[in-house]
Every structure is written in C-alpha cells, then in structure tokens.
Amino acid sequence: MSQATTNSGVDVLGNLAWGTHLCHFYETVDDLLDVVAPFFEAGLKNNEFCVWIVNDPVDIETAVAALKRDLPVAKCHLTKGDLHIFSKSNAATNGSRGIHIVPHTKWYLSNGRFDGERVRSVWHAIYEEAMQNGYAGVRAAANESWLNEGDWGDFVKYEGSLDSLLADLKMLVVCSYPMDKAKANSVLDLVGTHEFALARRDRKWEIVETPDLKEAKNEIQQLNNELEQRVADRTEQVRSLAAKLDSAREEESARIAREIHDELGGELSGLRWDIEEITETVSLSAAEESAIGKQLRMLIARIDTMVGSVRRIASELRPTALDEFGLAEALRLYAKQFEERTGCTISLGGLAGTANVSTEMANAMFRIVQEALTNVLRHAAATRVDIDITPEGGQSVLTISDNGRGIRQEEMDSPGTFGLVGMRERAELLGGELDVEGCEGRGTTVTLRVPAAHARSVEVSE
Amino acid sequence: MRKILLIDDHEVVRSGVRRILDRPPGEIEFGEASTPSEAMDRVRQHAWDVIVLDLSLGGRDGLEVLKEIKKLRPRQPVLVLSMHAEELFARRALKAGASGYITKNTPRAELSAAVEKVSRGGTYVSPELAENLAFDLRGATDGPAHESLSNREFEVLRLIASGRTVGEIAELLNLSVGTISTYRTRILEKMGLKTNAELTYYALQNNLVE
C-alpha cells in the first residue's frame, strides 16, 4: 500500500489518495450500506480508525445490525455520552479493530444547531489520537440526512473547508446524502465542495466528476505535455552536444595523428639518412665492417620498423585518407591493410554510393567498421569478411559479416569487450540503430541502419 | 649550376635531403622554403632543375602548391616527397602534374636517383608503387554474376531460389528477417535482377539449385 493512497473498498473507486473527500447519493438504505460496508471493511483491513456518523434512516441499532450482517468480523463500538469518548484509555479497552458509530446529534450539533467550528476541532482531535495510537489513518462515513434548509448554508461552507482540513491528513471521508432530500441546486452545491460524487444509475455505481476534479486533471495533462516537450528538447540538446563532442574528438584525433605521422615520421626519416650517411662515408676495415657495418644496418632496419609503427598508429587514430579521399577510399585502404596484417579476405561492396555522405556519417561508418574488424581479429577466428553499404527504403544500411565462430548472446550482453556500446552510440547519434547477430559456427553480422537524410548518396561511375 | 628547390616544413628533412643531393658538394644551388607563400616566391624567382615538394606541407597544402607551381611553370619537374606510402596519394599527385612520387623513408641512393631521373624529364615511382598503380587500372574481373556474391549471400540466393520465404531463411540461418531482407536487396542489386522469380530463373539456368 503506497503512502499516498489507500483502498477505498468500493470497486468503482479503487484506490483513493489520502485527503479525499467524496459525496455519495443514495436512495435506499441498501444503497447506503452498499457503499459504507465495503468502505469500512477495507478500512479495518488497513488498521485505520473507523468512524460512522449515523442518522435516519439508519439509526444506531440498524447500523450495528447491518454491519454485523455485512462485516461479521467487525466489532462495533457504540458511543455513549460525549464525543470525548475517544480517549486513549477508551481506544485501548475498546480494541483497535472496530468501527466507532456516533449519532449525528453528538457529532454535528451543539445545542441542536450545526456547529462547524466544533466539528472541525473534533476531527483534529480524533486524528491526533488515532495517529498517536498507531493507526494507519482515519476513515469516516457520515450520513447527512439530518440536514435541513436552515443548516444548509453553514453546512456547505463547512464541507468546503473540510477539503483544506483534510489536505495533509491521512483521512478519507464519505458524506452520504439522501436523494429525496437533496434538491437540484443543493446537489450542485454539494458536488462542488467534494472531489467527486458517487451515484447509482441503472443499479450500477458511477462516479460523477466535479468541475474541480476535471480542472485538476486537465492541468495535470497540460503539465505532462509540457514536461514531455521539455524532455524532448533536452534530449535533442544532449544529442546535439554528443555529436559536437564526437566531432571534436575526431578533429583532435586527426590532429594528433597528423603530428605523429608527419613530425615523428619526418624525424625518423632524417635519422635514417644520417645513419646511412655514416655507412656510406666511413671506410671500414673488413673486421670493422662485419661488426659496426652490421650494427648500422640493423639500426636502419629498426628505424624502418618504427616508421611502420608510426604509420599504423596514426592510421588507427585517424586515417588521413578519410579526410582527404572520403569514406570509400579510406575503407578500401583500411581493408587492404587489414588483409595484409591478418590474412583475412575482405570484400567491399556498395562503396560507389557513398560519395555524398556527410562527414558525421563517414566518421561513424568508418569507426564502426574499424571496431567490427578489430573484433573479428581478436575474437572471431574468421577467414573472410564481407562489408557492404546498401540503400534500403529510405535508409542506408552498412553490414559487416564474417564467417567466424559467431558472437554469443552472453558476449553481446556484456558489451564492454566488443565495443558494442560505442558502436550503438554512434548509430544513435545519426538517428539510426545498430544490430549484432551471431550464428554459432557460421559467423557474426553487424548491421547499421541510418536514415538516408544523413547519407545522400549519388550514383558515381568509377 | 644546377638549381634544386626543397619545400618542406621540417628542417630535419630539408637538411637531410640537401646532404643527400649535395654530392659532390658545392655543385648545386639549393633553395629552401617551409611555407606555401615562401615556396611560390622561390618558384617565381626563377625556374629550377627540380623541385622536391612535401605533400603534407603545413598539413594539407602540398597538393595546392603543386597545382600552383604547375600553373605557373607547366614544364617544371616536381618530385613529391611524402610520409604516406599509399598509392592513393601517389595517384593524386601524379594526376596533379607531379613527375614522381617518393616516400621519405627511402634509402639515400634511391632518393638521389629519383631526383636525377626527374630532373632529366623522366617520371619516377618506386617499383612497389608502380605495381599497385598498374593493378588499380585493371578493373573488375569478368565472371558469372553470382561469383561477386559473398558466401552468405550465395547461401541466401540458393534458399530463395528453392522457394523459401524470408522468414524461413531467417530461421534457418538464425538471423533476423531484416538482415535476410538486406541480403536479398543486395543480391538482386549485384546480379542486376528485380524479383525473386528472376533470381530463381537465374539459379535454375546456372544449375545452382535442383
């Protein structure tokens, strides 16, 4: 049971928020009991302090009899004497599982006249007591058939103030009104002071929403809509920032790659030439030749290796070809290098249609291919990879499929090792989606689908 | 006296190349430039026997400078020097008018020979590069249309031609319907066909299915 609501016991009402105050129109005694009995049944189940204020046609004896019949388990405590029976000692001796039944005369009237102020203070007192004695809340039903013309104005005012009284309390109040006594404009007055009304129509209980409730609901709907709009805006902001971050990252990678490639590469070349110069200008004796000469040649070989590393590192960071020549060439080059490095065969298709792809799209596709091929190398034990870019119904579809062992479900579920999270993020930045499927023993397929807006491809004859 | 212009934004490379070419010493007049504007100034001063130009000058400016030089002096021999070993760059440089392409990580003797060849009006590319460039020009091999399909695509082709639905194929191969659909589109495209019926006909004609 959530803190904010409690079970009303009445089917058509369901759970109600604490502080709810509703009115209920009845024609027959059965109508009255039909609502009040299950109402209290639920209250007893929840360890709530139950109060029933009774009047004709249901006086105390009838009330007790009815409850005994409908809720045999309930204990009914008839109040005797004053309202101040709700004292600690009484509650203790009376036991907590009971419904306190009070005649309206003792509740609402003082000196025979309705006294709103006093009733309000009584509600307060009862609530305090109940809370102190560990009850989950206070549940009250009141039969207002005693009302007459003279009291009407005051009573409506009192009902109106009951709302603010109940607002922060764990109290639930049902006020029952006899249909025959209520005139049309009175009904409107009443409905206006309660959150909603319950009435019987065609033997079924129906809820009548009061204007206040309707308005509240509308306000909530509006706030909801506003909230959704704000969330959408913020999501768009976040996405745009993520895209910017990605661009910045790529630019940074490009810059570093260029420096490594050109600066380091240049220095290494100079170094190589210097060592070569030594081998060419220094004349060595035969003995020196076999020692020093050999070492110098080894140094040159090591520099060649370093140059290879520089090229590879720069290329992994960001291949110049991607910026200089575009996605198709960059992929061809990368594929060729991969083939040479791993012995895998790579087939590329559909590259002609990538000529007019946006920079973001080219970056994302390249990086996804890079990640996928890294996975193939590390995990798949494959001999062949097919990479294709195909337009398909307003989308651009990139597929990378290998003939390796096939990624397993648990590997997909722990995406860290396979860079799946990164790949999916790239896909999302483009407003697309990424799928990974593994077929045991037959291979893995990575599919990227992106809306064509990002990939305006044009047929280019090579 | 021979005049050689060296354009590179790395001092270590300029002095390295200079020392390689300055044999016997003093017989060549060297000019040096490290930026595009410096380079063009030098080129305007007079014609050079050879210009050695770094493709990655200032990051991306090498190609532009090459084009400018060629516009100014169409017959000026230019040997492009670069860290990039890929034929992509060589192809582009040659197309833009370079007389030769050589990577910086080349032995001195070869660099010297390249400069020599280019200054005499010839073209130079390293043997390896020459092979790659020639290969690129060869174009796609001819063969039956279905040989351009990947193994997986071929499998899907045969299944379609046998009358299986996309759903059935997806289940058989343990892939999603979307993936199979993509394969189907690609197969049709690669084979230049439009419908499953055409696919089936092709498969029957070529004895790919019984």
Side-chain angles (χ1 to χ4, degrees):
Chain A
M1 182 73 63
S2 90
Q3 292 279 53
T5 63
T6 181
N7 186 10
S8 68
V10 181
D11 282 329
V12 74
L13 293 173
N15 283 352
L16 293 174
W18 281 119
T20 298
H21 168 217
L22 65 125
C23 63
H24 150 231
F25 293 102
Y26 68 89
E27 285 183 67
T28 66
V29 173
D30 278 332
D31 285 346
L32 179 62
L33 294 170
D34 215 28
V35 168
V36 171
F39 180 70
F40 282 126
E41 190 174 357
L44 289 175
K45 270 214 192 90
N46 290 343
N47 187 30
E48 292 165 15
F49 189 81
C50 298
V51 180
W52 190 10
I53 299 149
V54 299
N55 185 41
D56 288 331
V58 185
D59 60 12
I60 294 240
E61 276 83 33
T62 322
V64 173
L67 281 182
K68 283 212 169 105
R69 182 192 69 217
D70 290 341
L71 304 177
V73 186
K75 287 204 267 232
C76 296
H77 310 287
L78 302 181
T79 62
K80 300 176 175 61
D82 244 339
L83 282 174
H84 298 290
I85 56 122
F86 295 106
S87 64
K88 257 193 217 144
S89 56
N90 260 314
T93 51
N94 285 339
S96 46
R97 289 264 169 286
I99 302 173
H100 296 82
I101 305 183
V102 188
H104 82 281
T105 44
K106 296 243 184 296
W107 188 268
Y108 284 115
L109 310 179
S110 70
N111 299 327
R113 292 299 323 273
F114 172 66
D115 187 345
E117 276 305 315
R118 200 182 81 135
V119 180
R120 285 235 297 279
S121 58
V122 171
W123 278 125
H124 268 303
I126 289 175
Y127 187 76
E128 294 293 329
E129 289 261 5
M131 287 299 108
Q132 272 173 17
N133 284 314
Y135 284 94
V138 174
R139 184 180 289 234
N143 183 5
E144 322 288 16
S145 59
W146 53 272
L147 281 172
N148 55 43
E149 293 286 342
D151 305 309
W152 201 259
D154 285 332
F155 193 77
V156 169
K157 243 195 285 178
Y158 152 76
E159 286 276 33
S161 70
L162 208 55
D163 258 346
S164 50
L165 174 75
L166 296 177
D168 294 319
L169 305 182
K170 288 198 176 147
M171 279 183 67
L172 196 57
V173 179
V174 173
C175 301
S176 306
Y177 297 91
M179 281 306 296
D180 54 1
K181 275 245 176 101
K183 293 203 289 255
N185 46 351
S186 331
V187 169
L188 283 178
D189 284 335
L190 281 176
V191 168
T193 58
H194 293 76
E195 285 180 42
F196 43 93
L198 197 59
R200 201 152 203 168
R201 202 201 283 216
D202 288 335
R203 317 256 62 222
K204 277 200 310 202
W205 287 106
E206 283 186 7
I207 299 176
V208 176
E209 270 183 16
T210 63
D212 278 343
L213 187 67
K214 269 217 179 84
E215 196 179 311
K217 278 190 180 173
N218 278 342
E219 229 179 277
I220 290 175
Q221 182 63 35
Q222 207 168 321
L223 286 173
N224 247 10
N225 292 343
E226 274 176 43
L227 189 67
E228 272 185 31
Q229 183 58 42
R230 277 205 238 147
V231 168
D233 287 342
R234 187 51 69 103
T235 308
E236 193 43 49
Q237 263 185 357
V238 168
R239 177 186 293 192
S240 142
L241 275 174
K244 281 206 189 109
L245 193 66
D246 202 58
S247 283
R249 216 171 31 198
E250 293 286 347
E251 274 172 35
E252 180 76 356
S253 293
R255 195 181 59 76
I256 295 174
R258 201 161 44 234
E259 276 201 48
I260 291 177
H261 193 256
D262 295 343
E263 303 288 331
L264 275 184
E267 294 281 342
L268 286 170
S269 302
L271 194 62
R272 191 191 204 275
W273 289 331
D274 287 346
I275 299 180
E276 274 189 287
E277 192 176 15
I278 296 175
T279 62
E280 282 166 21
T281 54
V282 165
S283 46
L284 303 165
S285 70
E288 287 167 335
E289 170 61 33
S290 63
I292 297 175
K294 201 165 95 176
Q295 272 210 315
L296 289 174
R297 280 192 294 281
M298 251 176 48
L299 286 179
I300 292 175
R302 277 162 65 181
I303 289 177
D304 283 341
T305 309
M306 281 170 75
V307 168
S309 297
V310 161
R311 287 196 175 123
R312 186 179 47 79
I313 292 171
S315 184
E316 287 286 324
L317 252 180
R318 186 170 177 81
T320 319
L322 193 53
D323 293 318
E324 297 272 339
F325 296 99
L327 180 65
E329 288 295 351
L331 282 177
R332 281 198 194 105
L333 203 57
Y334 191 76
K336 196 168 109 166
Q337 287 164 348
F338 188 84
E339 281 182 327
E340 277 162 22
R341 216 164 17 117
T342 67
C344 243
T345 309
I346 301 196
S347 100
L348 294 165
L351 295 186
T354 65
N356 274 9
V357 143
S358 69
T359 318
E360 294 84 34
M361 172 88 159
N363 284 346
M365 280 192 165
F366 185 84
R367 294 300 181 192
I368 288 174
V369 169
Q370 209 177 7
E371 188 72 48
L373 287 180
T374 306
N375 286 340
V376 167
L377 178 59
R378 283 204 203 126
H379 307 282
T383 58
R384 188 188 162 117
V385 183
D386 292 294
I387 302 176
D388 256 285
I389 302 178
T390 312
E392 201 184 273
Q395 289 191 315
S396 204
V397 183
L398 162 71
T399 52
I400 306 153
S401 55
D402 66 75
N403 64 352
R405 64 165 172 78
I407 191 173
R408 290 189 292 267
Q409 186 59 46
E410 61 263 22
E411 288 170 323
M412 287 206 272
D413 291 336
S414 76
T417 342
F418 294 85
L420 291 179
V421 174
M423 287 202 264
R424 275 190 224 279
E425 273 174 12
R426 290 187 189 284
E428 273 173 31
L429 276 179
L430 296 176
E433 48 182 33
L434 189 96
D435 278 304
V436 179
E437 290 174 292
C439 188
E440 190 175 330
R442 295 176 108 144
T444 310
T445 303
V446 174
T447 311
L448 168 75
R449 276 172 226 274
V450 179
H454 282 274
R456 297 176 338 269
S457 56
V458 161
E459 285 306 305
V460 172
S461 50
E462 294 242 80
Chain B
M1 167 165 292
R2 290 222 288 165
K3 299 199 231 308
I4 300 184
L5 175 61
L6 307 173
I7 309 174
D8 193 310
D9 47 351
H10 299 96
E11 158 66 40
V12 68
V13 174
R14 288 197 312 270
S15 62
V17 173
R18 189 178 180 138
R19 283 213 308 280
I20 295 171
L21 301 177
D22 200 15
R23 308 277 222 87
E27 290 191 10
I28 302 178
E29 180 191 318
F30 286 101
E32 294 187 23
S34 60
T35 69
S37 53
E38 263 179 32
M40 291 322 296
D41 279 345
R42 293 268 182 279
V43 175
R44 272 183 281 253
Q45 275 169 4
H46 47 70
W48 301 81
D49 289 285
V50 187
I51 297 182
V52 180
L53 168 66
D54 174 22
L55 192 64
S56 313
L57 185 71
R60 316 270 288 265
D61 297 328
L63 197 67
E64 280 312 306
V65 172
L66 172 61
K67 289 179 184 164
E68 289 271 312
I69 294 174
K70 279 287 155 175
K71 236 192 322 185
L72 199 60
R73 295 181 192 281
R75 305 252 301 270
Q76 172 70 61
V78 178
L79 176 66
V80 166
L81 194 62
S82 172
M83 271 308 297
H84 291 285
E86 302 92 345
E87 66 271 18
L88 272 178
F89 297 89
R91 212 188 307 146
R92 198 165 63 171
L94 293 170
K95 268 207 198 126
S99 306
Y101 187 97
I102 191 167
T103 59
K104 288 185 188 177
N105 201 49
T106 307
R108 295 161 56 100
E110 205 178 314
L111 184 64
S112 194
V115 170
E116 192 60 28
K117 188 154 185 226
V118 164
S119 73
R120 278 192 266 115
T123 313
Y124 175 88
V125 281
S126 70
E128 197 190 81
L129 217 48
E131 206 182 287
N132 288 333
L133 287 170
F135 184 81
D136 276 341
L137 294 170
R138 277 226 315 260
T141 48
D142 291 314
H146 64 269
E147 277 186 13
S148 65
L149 300 178
S150 68
N151 288 349
R152 195 76 67 77
E153 285 163 356
F154 190 67
E155 218 177 325
V156 173
L157 163 68
R158 291 181 66 234
L159 287 168
I160 293 177
S162 316
R164 311 290 186 119
T165 65
V166 169
E168 286 168 353
I169 299 175
E171 216 181 295
L172 260 172
L173 298 182
N174 199 13
L175 295 171
S176 77
V177 169
T179 303
I180 302 298
S181 188
T182 302
Y183 278 135
R184 178 181 166 279
T185 306
R186 202 176 303 146
I187 293 167
L188 290 175
E189 204 181 273
K190 279 188 180 178
M191 316 245 325
L193 301 172
K194 290 211 197 67
T195 63
N196 283 2
E198 288 182 18
L199 245 174
T200 311
Y201 184 71
Y202 177 95
L204 289 170
Q205 284 284 80
N206 289 276
N207 291 320
L208 302 179
V209 290
E210 282 105 57

